[in-house]
Amino acid sequence: MDNFTFYAPTYFVFGKDTEKEAGHYVKRFGGTKVLLHYGGGSVIRTGLLERVKASLEKEGITYAELGGVKPNPRSGLVYEGIELCKKEKIDFILAVGGGSTIDSSKAIAAGAVYDGDFWEYYQGKLVEQALPVGTILTISAAGSEGSPDSVITCEDGMYKRGATGEGLRPRFSILNPALTQTLPPYQTACGITDIMAHLYERYMTNTQDVEVTDRMIEALMMTMIHEGPKVIADPDDYQARANIMWAGMMAHNNSCGVGRTQDWTSHDVEHELSALYDCAHGAGLAVVMPAVMTYNMGHNVMRFAQAASRVWGCQMDFAHPEETAKAGIQAFRNFLSSIGMPKNFEELGAREEDIEKLAHAACWGDVRKGNLGGFVKLNEEDVANIYRLML
Amino acid sequence: MDNFTFYAPTYFVFGKDTEKEAGHYVKRFGGTKVLLHYGGGSVIRTGLLERVKASLEKEGITYAELGGVKPNPRSGLVYEGIELCKKEKIDFILAVGGGSTIDSSKAIAAGAVYDGDFWEYYQGKLVEQALPVGTILTISAAGSEGSPDSVITCEDGMYKRGATGEGLRPRFSILNPALTQTLPPYQTACGITDIMAHLYERYMTNTQDVEVTDRMIEALMMTMIHEGPKVIADPDDYQARANIMWAGMMAHNNSCGVGRTQDWTSHDVEHELSALYDCAHGAGLAVVMPAVMTYNMGHNVMRFAQAASRVWGCQMDFAHPEETAKAGIQAFRNFLSSIGMPKNFEELGAREEDIEKLAHAACWGDVRKGNLGGFVKLNEEDVANIYRLML
């Protein structure tokens, strides 16, 4: 295990009706003038936004509003939010929505107290200062409710980049599993896939002797495999939603990723797909991950066999561990199909003729001639080959 | 899963040589005049205390010292520490040691800013205010480095009580697994047993649909079963020490105990043993836990069978689940014996003739006619019967 630091000071409020406490927690964490940031549609339709406003008003907290966050949130709305915060002297940002809304809120929070261009943070500058952010989560997926990360799509060129820094960790996150019950099965499945990706990306390590984090990752994967199909079959299964919601947070607050190298190849390879075709991030990951695994399997067959055996319950083939490794990847494919995720470029709406361009962008071809991956180092040609495995 | 809140804002600094950063972190968390609190013996002998002092001095931080913490830390030294803090205008307490030193530090921290008797906190008053505490951990066991809890023995009557409250969570905890390499095997094994107890006490729940926390607890137990025997065989196995250290923290910061009823019968039953006979807490737990499990097994055979199958690898006997449940308890007994833990009253130095008195004290007989346990409600007679199973 490598040396590390770990700091996860978000206050979690979990369970039924907890959104009614939004005002209480904004006040507790120092907010007096709030930016309410959200997407649209469902948070209005379900009455959630009204309940949150009522809770703020009850505590005498004033607010401005900025809706319109789209999946794969854009830089344009972030600039708009930053202007609004400065103009209205906002001192707290409350995100009501999923990972996109939370990531957009974090970007605004960082930009609102920075004199330069917020995009510098998405080019590698660490976020140390930001307005405090609180979240009311409506989909279990991105893990942004407990992470110091944010991913934004730059509208000038349509590519995604991430920012990070302790300043971006939410002060509080309200997790009411019932709020996720209104999600369509496809979006629910995309969330499940994203959570599985956060776990697999941490699992794919070159660090030795990481039993504790291996076991924790496996535990959360098994939870997802057990609970995921339940909510696809019955969207109103509160208990399965609750298990998924806590697993989704734990999967990405890094308590199970500390002290080990991580991969993030699948995320980097996927980001170009959702940026170019505006597909759901989780759907993209469903196509990307088995391809990346197949390409990288030879690097450490026993690690894949371990996941196959411990997580997927595959019988270990001691004479041919690579068969067990393959069986694990196949079991993952089957799981993804069973919850309705796409299998290939075609189902995703991606095009073969874009592969070179995608690989170039994924490797930051215009910025630096870079390799990708913390598990296996991959160059543009490798990445293009991985995209070809998705045809 | 039940509604819950979860807040674990301790900053963890994990790995080799991290104690040299003590001064840096005390400063970061606002300390200028520190009380260095420790036991004695090993922290002096190994040079750890000198390294910590050098780190404080490098940052220009002054300190007072209070050594002499004993296992099962006593109220007398806490009163002494509170006086010292007030006299010296201490603004930060740095615990260098194990759970006893940390718990004693927390008690002093609470008492130093309270006008009344600190013992009120150990009679049920919630700790909201306390001096900030930092820790440098020297044994993986109590989990106090990441918890809001403290257990102290009242010298007037020799009984143990616990206090809790967010004010008691350490601001930072420095976890260097190498510092635990000097521990004798017996103390190491006591720590392993305590960690297993923190996991089992959370596992024994009556809450339904808690797959995510069940799986996480099982993951941490399997880690302990895999890594524990390694450090008994080779005390210098840094990597095994590292896995145990992170598992020990995760086992007790409650991320795997949220949203479910917990038990704590074994801790309550054990506390009277270590208070009366001054045995190691972990050694007491090794004798107590299998007895409590045997007594409670009938309450939910399938829960015990689940642990037996998933954690201990016992073959599930579908026709006779109680046989699997029993096999799991036996596997736990075997594990405890294999790491050198005592099996019964005699090996612990406890006496049969004290059983009535022990049961009376465990149930707070003098304070309230109370029942014990979050899994099965137990009265004094039940508790006496449990003690008899340890003969």
Side-chain angles (χ1 to χ4, degrees):
Chain A
M1 211 185 298
D2 303 330
N3 281 17
F4 64 84
T5 60
F6 177 74
Y7 186 48
T10 301
Y11 193 104
F12 293 99
V13 186
F14 190 103
K16 288 176 185 164
D17 295 326
T18 45
E19 69 274 15
K20 292 178 185 162
E21 298 171 54
H24 167 77
Y25 285 102
V26 167
K27 200 170 188 178
R28 173 168 168 170
F29 288 96
T32 61
K33 181 87 193 267
V34 167
L35 177 67
L36 257 184
H37 196 36
Y38 52 90
S42 69
V43 300
I44 297 165
R45 208 166 49 243
T46 59
L48 172 59
L49 199 62
E50 285 310 309
R51 293 203 297 282
V52 172
K53 285 179 184 175
S55 171
L56 293 176
E57 285 158 13
K58 199 177 139 203
E59 299 287 344
I61 296 162
T62 58
Y63 54 85
E65 291 185 54
L66 181 63
V69 182
K70 290 181 188 159
N72 307 315
R74 311 289 173 86
S75 52
L77 194 65
V78 172
Y79 285 114
E80 204 178 313
I82 291 169
E83 279 312 299
L84 188 58
C85 284
K86 288 179 175 172
K87 191 177 133 225
E88 300 283 342
K89 303 203 188 317
I90 296 294
D91 60 15
F92 197 98
I93 301 183
L94 184 58
V96 184
S100 297
T101 299
I102 299 173
D103 282 7
S104 184
S105 296
K106 288 175 174 180
I108 294 170
V113 295
Y114 182 55
D115 286 336
D117 183 354
F118 93 94
W119 191 252
E120 291 170 26
Y121 290 123
Y122 292 77
Q123 289 173 315
K125 187 179 160 76
L126 204 67
V127 184
E128 286 172 357
Q129 297 287 326
L131 288 181
V133 172
T135 87
I136 299 173
L137 187 66
T138 58
I139 175 170
S140 305
S144 192
E145 67 277 14
S147 88
D149 309 316
S150 161
V151 176
I152 298 289
T153 298
C154 178
E155 277 171 316
D156 180 12
M158 293 307 281
Y159 58 95
K160 277 185 172 186
R161 290 290 179 267
T164 193
E166 288 305 333
L168 295 184
R169 276 204 200 264
R171 293 297 199 281
F172 71 82
S173 283
I174 289 177
L175 312 185
N176 176 358
L179 297 181
T180 71
Q181 287 175 206
T182 55
L183 284 169
Y186 185 76
Q187 270 184 267
T188 299
C190 285
I192 291 167
T193 308
D194 198 15
I195 293 168
M196 287 299 281
H198 294 156
L199 295 165
Y200 260 121
E201 301 271 49
R202 289 181 166 86
Y203 202 73
M204 290 301 136
T205 187
N206 294 317
T207 312
Q208 300 294 306
D209 298 311
V210 287
E211 180 79 359
V212 62
T213 40
D214 269 5
R215 289 287 188 187
M216 284 170 64
I217 294 169
E218 290 159 3
L220 295 168
M221 284 187 186
M222 283 187 276
T223 302
M224 297 306 299
I225 296 164
H226 192 255
E227 305 294 322
K230 288 192 201 174
V231 295
I232 300 300
D234 176 10
D236 290 329
D237 187 335
Y238 175 87
Q239 292 297 345
R241 296 270 186 197
N243 277 283
I244 289 172
M245 204 162 211
W246 192 242
M249 193 290 289
M250 289 299 301
H252 205 43
N253 84 340
N254 211 32
S255 54
C256 63
V258 290
R260 51 197 287 153
T261 64
Q262 304 180 5
D263 194 14
W264 302 100
T265 296
S266 292
H267 270 74
D268 288 338
V269 169
E270 193 293 313
H271 280 167
E272 304 312 322
L273 295 174
S274 47
L276 189 61
Y277 308 112
D278 210 20
C279 59
H281 174 54
L285 284 168
V287 176
V288 167
M289 276 194 289
V292 171
M293 288 175 181
T294 302
Y295 199 82
N296 284 347
M297 200 190 86
H299 178 67
N300 187 346
V301 166
M302 290 307 259
R303 179 144 284 272
F304 285 89
Q306 179 179 299
S309 165
R310 290 188 185 171
V311 176
W312 295 104
C314 301
Q315 200 77 16
M316 177 65 190
D317 185 338
F318 291 91
H320 311 98
E322 68 281 7
E323 294 305 319
T324 309
K326 278 185 208 165
I329 298 171
Q330 187 57 45
F332 185 36
R333 280 187 203 273
N334 297 348
F335 172 79
L336 293 169
S337 290
S338 76
I339 60 172
M341 286 288 93
K343 284 187 287 295
N344 53 38
F345 253 40
E346 194 186 344
E347 289 181 28
L348 205 61
R351 289 181 303 264
E352 185 174 358
E353 55 266 37
D354 292 332
I355 282 181
E356 301 292 331
K357 184 172 134 191
L358 287 164
H360 187 70
C363 294
W364 292 41
D366 293 336
V367 185
R368 53 171 165 76
K369 211 69 187 167
N371 287 333
L372 214 66
F375 184 58
V376 182
K377 285 280 163 235
L378 303 165
N379 59 28
E380 267 190 50
E381 198 185 323
D382 293 314
V383 174
N385 286 333
I386 287 171
Y387 281 121
R388 286 188 194 100
L389 289 175
M390 304 175 209
L391 293 174
Chain B
M1 210 186 299
D2 302 331
N3 280 16
F4 64 85
T5 60
F6 177 74
Y7 186 47
T10 302
Y11 194 104
F12 293 99
V13 186
F14 189 102
K16 288 176 185 162
D17 295 327
T18 45
E19 69 274 14
K20 292 177 184 163
E21 297 172 54
H24 168 77
Y25 285 101
V26 167
K27 201 170 187 176
R28 174 169 168 170
F29 288 94
T32 61
K33 181 87 195 266
V34 168
L35 177 68
L36 257 184
H37 196 37
Y38 52 90
S42 69
V43 300
I44 297 166
R45 207 166 50 241
T46 60
L48 172 60
L49 199 63
E50 285 310 310
R51 294 202 295 285
V52 172
K53 286 180 184 175
S55 171
L56 292 176
E57 285 159 14
K58 200 177 139 203
E59 300 287 342
I61 296 161
T62 56
Y63 53 85
E65 291 183 55
L66 181 63
V69 182
K70 291 181 186 160
N72 307 314
R74 311 287 172 89
S75 52
L77 194 66
V78 172
Y79 286 114
E80 203 178 315
I82 291 169
E83 280 310 300
L84 187 57
C85 284
K86 289 180 175 172
K87 190 177 134 223
E88 300 284 340
K89 303 200 187 319
I90 295 294
D91 60 16
F92 197 99
I93 302 182
L94 184 57
V96 184
S100 297
T101 299
I102 299 172
D103 282 7
S104 183
S105 297
K106 287 175 173 179
I108 294 170
V113 295
Y114 184 55
D115 286 335
D117 183 354
F118 91 96
W119 191 250
E120 291 169 26
Y121 290 123
Y122 292 76
Q123 290 174 313
K125 186 179 161 77
L126 204 67
V127 184
E128 286 172 356
Q129 297 288 326
L131 288 181
V133 172
T135 87
I136 300 174
L137 187 64
T138 57
I139 176 169
S140 305
S144 192
E145 68 276 15
S147 88
D149 309 314
S150 161
V151 176
I152 298 289
T153 298
C154 179
E155 277 170 317
D156 181 12
M158 292 308 280
Y159 58 95
K160 279 184 171 186
R161 289 291 179 266
T164 193
E166 288 305 334
L168 295 185
R169 275 203 200 264
R171 293 299 198 281
F172 70 82
S173 282
I174 289 177
L175 313 185
N176 176 359
L179 297 181
T180 70
Q181 287 175 207
T182 55
L183 285 168
Y186 185 77
Q187 271 184 265
T188 299
C190 285
I192 291 167
T193 307
D194 197 16
I195 294 168
M196 287 298 282
H198 295 157
L199 295 165
Y200 261 120
E201 300 270 49
R202 288 181 167 87
Y203 201 74
M204 290 302 136
T205 187
N206 293 318
T207 312
Q208 300 293 307
D209 298 311
V210 286
E211 180 78 359
V212 62
T213 39
D214 268 5
R215 288 286 188 189
M216 285 171 63
I217 295 170
E218 289 160 4
L220 295 168
M221 283 187 186
M222 283 188 277
T223 302
M224 297 306 298
I225 296 164
H226 192 255
E227 305 294 322
K230 288 192 201 174
V231 296
I232 300 300
D234 175 10
D236 290 330
D237 187 335
Y238 175 87
Q239 292 298 345
R241 294 271 186 196
N243 277 284
I244 288 172
M245 203 162 212
W246 193 242
M249 192 289 289
M250 290 299 300
H252 205 45
N253 84 340
N254 211 32
S255 54
C256 62
V258 289
R260 52 197 286 153
T261 65
Q262 304 179 4
D263 194 13
W264 303 101
T265 296
S266 291
H267 271 73
D268 287 339
V269 169
E270 192 293 313
H271 280 167
E272 303 313 322
L273 295 174
S274 46
L276 189 61
Y277 308 113
D278 211 20
C279 59
H281 174 53
L285 285 168
V287 176
V288 166
M289 276 195 289
V292 171
M293 289 175 180
T294 302
Y295 199 80
N296 284 349
M297 200 189 85
H299 177 67
N300 187 344
V301 166
M302 289 308 258
R303 179 144 283 273
F304 285 90
Q306 179 178 300
S309 165
R310 290 187 184 172
V311 176
W312 296 103
C314 301
Q315 200 78 16
M316 178 65 190
D317 185 339
F318 292 91
H320 311 96
E322 69 281 8
E323 294 303 320
T324 309
K326 278 186 208 163
I329 298 171
Q330 186 57 45
F332 185 36
R333 280 187 203 271
N334 296 346
F335 172 79
L336 294 169
S337 289
S338 77
I339 60 172
M341 285 288 93
K343 285 187 286 295
N344 52 39
F345 253 42
E346 193 186 344
E347 289 181 29
L348 204 62
R351 288 182 302 265
E352 186 174 358
E353 56 265 36
D354 292 332
I355 282 181
E356 300 293 331
K357 184 172 134 192
L358 288 163
H360 187 71
C363 293
W364 291 41
D366 292 336
V367 184
R368 52 172 166 78
K369 210 70 189 166
N371 287 333
L372 214 66
F375 184 56
V376 182
K377 287 280 165 231
L378 303 165
N379 59 27
E380 267 191 48
E381 196 184 326
D382 293 313
V383 174
N385 285 335
I386 287 171
Y387 281 121
R388 284 186 196 101
L389 288 176
M390 304 175 209
L391 294 173

